[in-house]
Amino acid sequence: MEVTGMQVIGALLTSLIVCAALGPVLIPILHKLKFGQSIRDVGPASHMKKSGTPTMGGIMMLCGLFVAMVVWNRFTPLIIIAFVLTFGHALIGFLDDYIKVVMKRNLGLTAKQKLALQVALAMAYIYYVEQHAGASGTDLWVPGTAVSVHMGWLYYVLVLLLLVGTTNAVNLTDGLDGLVSSVSIPVLTAYSYIAWQAGEGDLCLFAAAVLGSCLGFLVWNHHPAKVFMGDTGSLALGGAVAALALLTHTEILLVIIGGMYVLEALSVIIQVVYFKHTGGKRVFRMTPIHHHFELGGWKETKVVAVFTLASCVFCLAGIGLWFLGKGGM
């Protein structure tokens, strides 16, 4: 699907404006319904003052994305898949948030329940690939080269790991005011550009619309945050990023482009493993790693700025590898 630069900008601005404009409407409603975030005792003590800040603000982002897609895009098969993965994970996040803020169970869905729902969405995508993509659908491109490796059934294992891993990693990154939106802006910019260069105009518009939602949400989520996106937004954002990686056939490249998500998740894994094997010792002051720097004396705004800059570097490296490989194909 061919698109113009005007359409891309239009999708971005539409999503941004709708998301930002919903703030004065939705935030008071969330306050009235007492949909406030409960802050866990295991987090930094400085975060306790955030208790009661409305959550589920991801609804604003989803509305912006939906309106932008209706106005500027066509619901092609690729966009339908991207929507299923994005809004499907949003539903999982909504259930998690609802249990936390309405039923007052601070941990939300159990780990097994959340994983089961995420696996179900991954299996739905795997079924689509099996039915419609043919043998080439399980080819895996090696970044920086012109080589694609036929993975067979192992590709489905990768899909499962990518979807579950990405959504949870993005969710872990959502721990400071404006952090996950800011880190995701260069990621979505990179994928919008890659989709444009690959001739996947519909995916380019989708990435631009998600980017616009992040920008619009930052109007209300920058420090000090007036609203949190909650799991409704962070899992949806993770689903959207994973969908873009899968549908542009840049699965491995996501490890580079989404480097900050990877570091956030790795910090938790390293901390847990080291803690268990050393009888209680820690590598980091607290994980995910943004809390490590926060407890080291960095202000939230500094952590967000440095992590966003690092995300930009990762994305530039990812785009470079994409050109290096695709230019020779």
Side-chain angles (χ1 to χ4, degrees), residues 151-207:
M151 300 293 292
W153 65 270
L154 286 174
Y155 179 79
Y156 302 133
V157 177
L158 174 66
V159 168
L160 185 62
L161 292 174
L162 186 146
L163 278 167
V164 174
T166 302
T167 51
N168 285 314
V170 173
N171 183 241
L172 288 171
T173 308
D174 184 27
L176 301 178
D177 295 353
L179 178 59
V180 72
S181 293
S182 298
V183 166
S184 298
I185 285 169
V187 173
L188 293 162
T189 302
Y191 269 115
S192 183
Y193 186 68
I194 286 172
W196 173 282
Q197 290 293 326
E200 301 288 359
D202 45 358
L203 294 178
C204 176
L205 291 176
F206 176 79

Short mmCIF file of all heavy atoms in Angstrom, two decimals, residues 151-207:
data_model
loop_
_atom_site.label_atom_id
_atom_site.label_comp_id
_atom_site.label_asym_id
_atom_site.label_seq_id
_atom_site.Cartn_x
_atom_site.Cartn_y
_atom_site.Cartn_z
N MET A 151 13.40 -21.16 9.26
CA MET A 151 13.38 -21.67 10.62
C MET A 151 12.41 -22.82 10.84
O MET A 151 12.54 -23.56 11.81
CB MET A 151 13.02 -20.53 11.58
CG MET A 151 14.00 -19.36 11.55
SD MET A 151 15.61 -19.81 12.20
CE MET A 151 15.21 -20.06 13.93
N GLY A 152 11.42 -22.96 9.94
CA GLY A 152 10.43 -24.00 10.15
C GLY A 152 9.65 -23.77 11.45
O GLY A 152 9.33 -22.64 11.80
N TRP A 153 9.40 -24.85 12.19
CA TRP A 153 8.59 -24.74 13.41
C TRP A 153 9.29 -23.93 14.51
O TRP A 153 8.63 -23.38 15.40
CB TRP A 153 8.24 -26.13 13.95
CG TRP A 153 9.44 -26.93 14.40
CD1 TRP A 153 10.20 -27.77 13.67
CD2 TRP A 153 10.01 -26.91 15.71
NE1 TRP A 153 11.21 -28.30 14.42
CE2 TRP A 153 11.12 -27.80 15.68
CE3 TRP A 153 9.71 -26.27 16.91
CZ2 TRP A 153 11.92 -28.04 16.80
CZ3 TRP A 153 10.50 -26.49 18.02
CH2 TRP A 153 11.59 -27.38 17.96
N LEU A 154 10.61 -23.81 14.42
CA LEU A 154 11.33 -23.01 15.42
C LEU A 154 10.93 -21.53 15.35
O LEU A 154 11.03 -20.81 16.34
CB LEU A 154 12.84 -23.15 15.22
CG LEU A 154 13.47 -24.47 15.65
CD1 LEU A 154 14.94 -24.50 15.25
CD2 LEU A 154 13.31 -24.68 17.15
N TYR A 155 10.45 -21.11 14.16
CA TYR A 155 10.01 -19.72 14.03
C TYR A 155 8.83 -19.44 14.96
O TYR A 155 8.73 -18.34 15.53
CB TYR A 155 9.62 -19.42 12.59
CG TYR A 155 9.14 -18.00 12.38
CD1 TYR A 155 10.04 -16.94 12.29
CD2 TYR A 155 7.77 -17.71 12.31
CE1 TYR A 155 9.61 -15.64 12.12
CE2 TYR A 155 7.33 -16.41 12.13
CZ TYR A 155 8.24 -15.38 12.04
OH TYR A 155 7.80 -14.09 11.89
N TYR A 156 7.97 -20.41 15.13
CA TYR A 156 6.81 -20.22 15.99
C TYR A 156 7.22 -20.08 17.46
O TYR A 156 6.57 -19.34 18.22
CB TYR A 156 5.83 -21.39 15.82
CG TYR A 156 5.36 -21.55 14.38
CD1 TYR A 156 5.35 -22.81 13.78
CD2 TYR A 156 4.96 -20.45 13.64
CE1 TYR A 156 4.93 -22.96 12.45
CE2 TYR A 156 4.54 -20.59 12.32
CZ TYR A 156 4.54 -21.84 11.73
OH TYR A 156 4.13 -21.98 10.43
N VAL A 157 8.27 -20.76 17.84
CA VAL A 157 8.80 -20.59 19.19
C VAL A 157 9.31 -19.16 19.36
O VAL A 157 9.08 -18.52 20.40
CB VAL A 157 9.93 -21.61 19.47
CG1 VAL A 157 10.53 -21.37 20.85
CG2 VAL A 157 9.42 -23.04 19.34
N LEU A 158 9.99 -18.66 18.32
CA LEU A 158 10.50 -17.29 18.36
C LEU A 158 9.35 -16.29 18.47
O LEU A 158 9.43 -15.32 19.23
CB LEU A 158 11.32 -17.01 17.10
CG LEU A 158 11.81 -15.56 16.93
CD1 LEU A 158 12.80 -15.21 18.02
CD2 LEU A 158 12.43 -15.35 15.56
N VAL A 159 8.28 -16.52 17.72
CA VAL A 159 7.12 -15.63 17.77
C VAL A 159 6.56 -15.57 19.18
O VAL A 159 6.26 -14.49 19.71
CB VAL A 159 6.02 -16.10 16.79
CG1 VAL A 159 4.71 -15.37 17.05
CG2 VAL A 159 6.46 -15.87 15.35
N LEU A 160 6.44 -16.73 19.79
CA LEU A 160 5.91 -16.80 21.15
C LEU A 160 6.80 -16.02 22.12
O LEU A 160 6.32 -15.21 22.92
CB LEU A 160 5.83 -18.27 21.58
CG LEU A 160 5.19 -18.56 22.94
CD1 LEU A 160 3.75 -18.11 22.96
CD2 LEU A 160 5.29 -20.05 23.26
N LEU A 161 8.11 -16.23 22.02
CA LEU A 161 9.04 -15.54 22.89
C LEU A 161 9.04 -14.03 22.63
O LEU A 161 9.10 -13.22 23.57
CB LEU A 161 10.45 -16.10 22.71
CG LEU A 161 10.68 -17.54 23.18
CD1 LEU A 161 12.08 -18.01 22.79
CD2 LEU A 161 10.48 -17.66 24.69
N LEU A 162 8.97 -13.65 21.34
CA LEU A 162 9.00 -12.24 21.00
C LEU A 162 7.77 -11.51 21.53
O LEU A 162 7.89 -10.43 22.12
CB LEU A 162 9.11 -12.07 19.48
CG LEU A 162 9.29 -10.64 18.96
CD1 LEU A 162 10.16 -10.61 17.72
CD2 LEU A 162 7.93 -9.99 18.63
N LEU A 163 6.60 -12.08 21.32
CA LEU A 163 5.37 -11.42 21.75
C LEU A 163 5.30 -11.32 23.27
O LEU A 163 5.03 -10.24 23.83
CB LEU A 163 4.15 -12.15 21.21
CG LEU A 163 3.76 -11.80 19.77
CD1 LEU A 163 2.75 -12.80 19.22
CD2 LEU A 163 3.19 -10.39 19.71
N VAL A 164 5.52 -12.43 23.95
CA VAL A 164 5.45 -12.42 25.41
C VAL A 164 6.58 -11.57 26.00
O VAL A 164 6.36 -10.77 26.91
CB VAL A 164 5.52 -13.86 25.97
CG1 VAL A 164 5.59 -13.84 27.50
CG2 VAL A 164 4.30 -14.66 25.52
N GLY A 165 7.78 -11.73 25.43
CA GLY A 165 8.92 -10.98 25.94
C GLY A 165 8.79 -9.49 25.73
O GLY A 165 9.07 -8.69 26.64
N THR A 166 8.36 -9.08 24.55
CA THR A 166 8.26 -7.65 24.25
C THR A 166 7.19 -6.97 25.09
O THR A 166 7.42 -5.90 25.67
CB THR A 166 7.95 -7.42 22.76
OG1 THR A 166 8.97 -8.02 21.96
CG2 THR A 166 7.87 -5.93 22.44
N THR A 167 6.01 -7.57 25.18
CA THR A 167 4.94 -6.94 25.95
C THR A 167 5.32 -6.81 27.42
O THR A 167 5.05 -5.78 28.05
CB THR A 167 3.62 -7.74 25.81
OG1 THR A 167 3.86 -9.13 26.10
CG2 THR A 167 3.07 -7.62 24.40
N ASN A 168 5.97 -7.82 27.97
CA ASN A 168 6.37 -7.74 29.38
C ASN A 168 7.52 -6.78 29.59
O ASN A 168 7.60 -6.09 30.60
CB ASN A 168 6.72 -9.14 29.91
CG ASN A 168 5.48 -9.99 30.14
OD1 ASN A 168 4.51 -9.53 30.72
ND2 ASN A 168 5.51 -11.22 29.68
N ALA A 169 8.45 -6.72 28.62
CA ALA A 169 9.58 -5.79 28.74
C ALA A 169 9.10 -4.34 28.68
O ALA A 169 9.57 -3.48 29.43
CB ALA A 169 10.60 -6.07 27.64
N VAL A 170 8.17 -4.05 27.77
CA VAL A 170 7.61 -2.69 27.69
C VAL A 170 6.86 -2.37 28.97
O VAL A 170 6.94 -1.25 29.50
CB VAL A 170 6.69 -2.56 26.46
CG1 VAL A 170 5.97 -1.21 26.46
CG2 VAL A 170 7.50 -2.70 25.18
N ASN A 171 6.15 -3.35 29.50
CA ASN A 171 5.42 -3.17 30.75
C ASN A 171 6.37 -2.84 31.90
O ASN A 171 6.09 -1.97 32.74
CB ASN A 171 4.62 -4.44 31.06
CG ASN A 171 3.78 -4.31 32.31
OD1 ASN A 171 3.96 -5.05 33.28
ND2 ASN A 171 2.84 -3.39 32.32
N LEU A 172 7.52 -3.50 31.95
CA LEU A 172 8.52 -3.23 32.99
C LEU A 172 9.11 -1.83 32.85
O LEU A 172 9.48 -1.21 33.85
CB LEU A 172 9.64 -4.27 32.92
CG LEU A 172 9.32 -5.68 33.39
CD1 LEU A 172 10.46 -6.63 33.05
CD2 LEU A 172 9.04 -5.70 34.89
N THR A 173 9.20 -1.34 31.63
CA THR A 173 9.77 -0.02 31.38
C THR A 173 8.85 1.09 31.87
O THR A 173 9.29 2.22 32.11
CB THR A 173 10.05 0.17 29.87
OG1 THR A 173 10.82 -0.94 29.40
CG2 THR A 173 10.82 1.44 29.58
N ASP A 174 7.57 0.78 32.05
CA ASP A 174 6.59 1.78 32.48
C ASP A 174 6.65 1.92 34.00
O ASP A 174 5.79 1.43 34.73
CB ASP A 174 5.19 1.34 32.05
CG ASP A 174 4.13 2.38 32.38
OD1 ASP A 174 4.49 3.58 32.45
OD2 ASP A 174 2.96 2.00 32.55
N GLY A 175 7.71 2.63 34.49
CA GLY A 175 7.87 2.75 35.93
C GLY A 175 8.13 4.16 36.42
O GLY A 175 8.12 4.41 37.62
N LEU A 176 8.36 5.09 35.51
CA LEU A 176 8.58 6.49 35.87
C LEU A 176 7.71 7.38 34.99
O LEU A 176 7.30 6.97 33.90
CB LEU A 176 10.06 6.88 35.67
CG LEU A 176 11.12 6.10 36.46
CD1 LEU A 176 12.51 6.60 36.08
CD2 LEU A 176 10.89 6.22 37.95
N ASP A 177 7.46 8.59 35.44
CA ASP A 177 6.62 9.51 34.68
C ASP A 177 7.21 9.75 33.29
O ASP A 177 8.34 10.24 33.16
CB ASP A 177 6.50 10.85 35.41
CG ASP A 177 5.77 10.74 36.74
OD1 ASP A 177 5.25 9.66 37.05
OD2 ASP A 177 5.74 11.75 37.48
N GLY A 178 6.45 9.37 32.28
CA GLY A 178 6.85 9.64 30.90
C GLY A 178 7.91 8.71 30.33
O GLY A 178 8.30 8.88 29.18
N LEU A 179 8.37 7.71 31.10
CA LEU A 179 9.51 6.92 30.65
C LEU A 179 9.18 6.05 29.45
O LEU A 179 9.86 6.12 28.42
CB LEU A 179 10.03 6.05 31.80
CG LEU A 179 11.21 5.12 31.44
CD1 LEU A 179 12.40 5.93 30.95
CD2 LEU A 179 11.60 4.26 32.63
N VAL A 180 8.17 5.20 29.54
CA VAL A 180 7.93 4.24 28.46
C VAL A 180 7.49 4.95 27.19
O VAL A 180 7.87 4.55 26.08
CB VAL A 180 6.93 3.16 28.89
CG1 VAL A 180 5.51 3.69 29.00
CG2 VAL A 180 6.96 1.97 27.93
N SER A 181 6.72 6.03 27.31
CA SER A 181 6.33 6.79 26.11
C SER A 181 7.55 7.41 25.45
O SER A 181 7.72 7.35 24.22
CB SER A 181 5.33 7.88 26.47
OG SER A 181 4.10 7.34 26.90
N SER A 182 8.42 8.01 26.26
CA SER A 182 9.61 8.69 25.72
C SER A 182 10.57 7.71 25.07
O SER A 182 11.10 7.96 23.98
CB SER A 182 10.32 9.45 26.84
OG SER A 182 9.49 10.46 27.38
N VAL A 183 10.79 6.56 25.72
CA VAL A 183 11.67 5.54 25.16
C VAL A 183 11.10 4.96 23.88
O VAL A 183 11.84 4.59 22.96
CB VAL A 183 11.92 4.43 26.21
CG1 VAL A 183 12.54 3.19 25.57
CG2 VAL A 183 12.82 4.94 27.33
N SER A 184 9.77 4.88 23.80
CA SER A 184 9.11 4.26 22.65
C SER A 184 9.03 5.19 21.44
O SER A 184 8.86 4.71 20.31
CB SER A 184 7.70 3.81 23.03
OG SER A 184 7.74 2.83 24.05
N ILE A 185 9.14 6.49 21.64
CA ILE A 185 9.03 7.43 20.53
C ILE A 185 10.09 7.16 19.45
O ILE A 185 9.75 7.04 18.26
CB ILE A 185 9.08 8.89 21.04
CG1 ILE A 185 7.73 9.24 21.68
CG2 ILE A 185 9.39 9.86 19.91
CD1 ILE A 185 7.74 10.54 22.46
N PRO A 186 11.38 7.02 19.79
CA PRO A 186 12.35 6.68 18.74
C PRO A 186 12.14 5.29 18.15
O PRO A 186 12.39 5.08 16.96
CB PRO A 186 13.71 6.78 19.45
CG PRO A 186 13.41 6.77 20.90
CD PRO A 186 12.05 7.34 21.06
N VAL A 187 11.64 4.35 18.96
CA VAL A 187 11.36 3.00 18.46
C VAL A 187 10.30 3.05 17.37
O VAL A 187 10.45 2.46 16.28
CB VAL A 187 10.90 2.07 19.61
CG1 VAL A 187 10.45 0.72 19.06
CG2 VAL A 187 12.02 1.89 20.63
N LEU A 188 9.23 3.76 17.63
CA LEU A 188 8.13 3.86 16.67
C LEU A 188 8.51 4.70 15.46
O LEU A 188 8.06 4.43 14.34
CB LEU A 188 6.89 4.43 17.37
CG LEU A 188 6.31 3.49 18.43
CD1 LEU A 188 5.40 4.24 19.38
CD2 LEU A 188 5.57 2.33 17.77
N THR A 189 9.35 5.70 15.67
CA THR A 189 9.87 6.49 14.55
C THR A 189 10.69 5.59 13.62
O THR A 189 10.56 5.65 12.39
CB THR A 189 10.73 7.65 15.06
OG1 THR A 189 9.95 8.49 15.93
CG2 THR A 189 11.25 8.49 13.90
N ALA A 190 11.52 4.76 14.24
CA ALA A 190 12.36 3.84 13.45
C ALA A 190 11.50 2.88 12.65
O ALA A 190 11.74 2.64 11.46
CB ALA A 190 13.30 3.07 14.38
N TYR A 191 10.47 2.32 13.28
CA TYR A 191 9.63 1.36 12.57
C TYR A 191 8.76 2.02 11.51
O TYR A 191 8.46 1.42 10.47
CB TYR A 191 8.79 0.54 13.56
CG TYR A 191 9.51 -0.70 13.97
CD1 TYR A 191 9.92 -0.90 15.28
CD2 TYR A 191 9.83 -1.69 13.04
CE1 TYR A 191 10.62 -2.04 15.65
CE2 TYR A 191 10.52 -2.83 13.39
CZ TYR A 191 10.91 -3.00 14.70
OH TYR A 191 11.61 -4.13 15.04
N SER A 192 8.36 3.25 11.75
CA SER A 192 7.62 3.98 10.72
C SER A 192 8.50 4.18 9.49
O SER A 192 8.06 3.99 8.34
CB SER A 192 7.16 5.33 11.27
OG SER A 192 6.38 6.03 10.32
N TYR A 193 9.76 4.51 9.72
CA TYR A 193 10.70 4.72 8.62
C TYR A 193 11.02 3.41 7.90
O TYR A 193 11.06 3.37 6.66
CB TYR A 193 11.98 5.36 9.16
CG TYR A 193 12.96 5.75 8.07
CD1 TYR A 193 12.67 6.78 7.19
CD2 TYR A 193 14.16 5.06 7.93
CE1 TYR A 193 13.57 7.15 6.20
CE2 TYR A 193 15.07 5.41 6.93
CZ TYR A 193 14.76 6.45 6.07
OH TYR A 193 15.64 6.80 5.08
N ILE A 194 11.25 2.35 8.66
CA ILE A 194 11.55 1.04 8.05
C ILE A 194 10.37 0.57 7.21
O ILE A 194 10.55 0.09 6.07
CB ILE A 194 11.90 0.01 9.14
CG1 ILE A 194 13.30 0.28 9.70
CG2 ILE A 194 11.82 -1.42 8.59
CD1 ILE A 194 13.65 -0.56 10.91
N ALA A 195 9.15 0.72 7.73
CA ALA A 195 7.97 0.31 6.98
C ALA A 195 7.82 1.14 5.70
O ALA A 195 7.46 0.63 4.64
CB ALA A 195 6.72 0.45 7.85
N TRP A 196 8.12 2.44 5.80
CA TRP A 196 8.07 3.32 4.62
C TRP A 196 9.05 2.84 3.56
O TRP A 196 8.70 2.71 2.38
CB TRP A 196 8.38 4.74 5.07
CG TRP A 196 8.53 5.73 3.95
CD1 TRP A 196 9.60 5.91 3.11
CD2 TRP A 196 7.55 6.70 3.52
NE1 TRP A 196 9.36 6.92 2.21
CE2 TRP A 196 8.12 7.42 2.44
CE3 TRP A 196 6.28 7.05 3.96
CZ2 TRP A 196 7.45 8.46 1.80
CZ3 TRP A 196 5.61 8.07 3.32
CH2 TRP A 196 6.18 8.76 2.26
N GLN A 197 10.29 2.60 3.97
CA GLN A 197 11.32 2.17 3.04
C GLN A 197 11.02 0.79 2.45
O GLN A 197 11.41 0.49 1.31
CB GLN A 197 12.69 2.15 3.74
CG GLN A 197 13.24 3.52 4.08
CD GLN A 197 13.59 4.34 2.85
OE1 GLN A 197 14.02 3.80 1.83
NE2 GLN A 197 13.39 5.65 2.92
N ALA A 198 10.35 -0.05 3.20
CA ALA A 198 10.03 -1.40 2.74
C ALA A 198 8.79 -1.43 1.86
O ALA A 198 8.41 -2.49 1.34
CB ALA A 198 9.84 -2.33 3.94
N GLY A 199 8.13 -0.28 1.69
CA GLY A 199 6.92 -0.23 0.88
C GLY A 199 5.67 -0.70 1.58
O GLY A 199 4.65 -0.94 0.95
N GLU A 200 5.74 -0.81 2.91
CA GLU A 200 4.58 -1.25 3.71
C GLU A 200 3.90 0.00 4.26
O GLU A 200 3.99 0.31 5.45
CB GLU A 200 5.03 -2.18 4.84
CG GLU A 200 5.74 -3.43 4.38
CD GLU A 200 4.79 -4.45 3.73
OE1 GLU A 200 3.58 -4.17 3.65
OE2 GLU A 200 5.27 -5.50 3.30
N GLY A 201 3.19 0.71 3.38
CA GLY A 201 2.59 1.99 3.77
C GLY A 201 1.59 1.87 4.90
O GLY A 201 1.51 2.76 5.77
N ASP A 202 0.80 0.80 4.91
CA ASP A 202 -0.19 0.64 5.97
C ASP A 202 0.48 0.51 7.34
O ASP A 202 0.02 1.09 8.33
CB ASP A 202 -1.11 -0.55 5.70
CG ASP A 202 -0.37 -1.80 5.26
OD1 ASP A 202 0.88 -1.75 5.12
OD2 ASP A 202 -1.02 -2.85 5.04
N LEU A 203 1.59 -0.23 7.40
CA LEU A 203 2.32 -0.38 8.66
C LEU A 203 3.01 0.93 9.05
O LEU A 203 3.14 1.24 10.24
CB LEU A 203 3.35 -1.50 8.56
CG LEU A 203 2.78 -2.91 8.39
CD1 LEU A 203 3.91 -3.93 8.26
CD2 LEU A 203 1.88 -3.27 9.58
N CYS A 204 3.45 1.69 8.06
CA CYS A 204 4.04 3.00 8.32
C CYS A 204 3.03 3.91 9.01
O CYS A 204 3.34 4.59 10.00
CB CYS A 204 4.53 3.63 7.02
SG CYS A 204 5.20 5.29 7.20
N LEU A 205 1.80 3.93 8.50
CA LEU A 205 0.75 4.74 9.10
C LEU A 205 0.40 4.25 10.50
O LEU A 205 0.15 5.05 11.41
CB LEU A 205 -0.50 4.72 8.22
CG LEU A 205 -0.41 5.45 6.88
CD1 LEU A 205 -1.68 5.25 6.08
CD2 LEU A 205 -0.13 6.93 7.09
N PHE A 206 0.39 2.94 10.67
CA PHE A 206 0.10 2.36 12.00
C PHE A 206 1.16 2.81 13.00
O PHE A 206 0.84 3.26 14.10
CB PHE A 206 0.05 0.84 11.91
CG PHE A 206 -0.14 0.16 13.23
CD1 PHE A 206 -1.40 0.08 13.80
CD2 PHE A 206 0.94 -0.41 13.89
CE1 PHE A 206 -1.58 -0.55 15.03
CE2 PHE A 206 0.77 -1.05 15.12
CZ PHE A 206 -0.50 -1.12 15.69
N ALA A 207 2.44 2.69 12.62
CA ALA A 207 3.53 3.08 13.51
C ALA A 207 3.45 4.58 13.83
O ALA A 207 3.66 4.99 14.98
CB ALA A 207 4.88 2.74 12.89
#
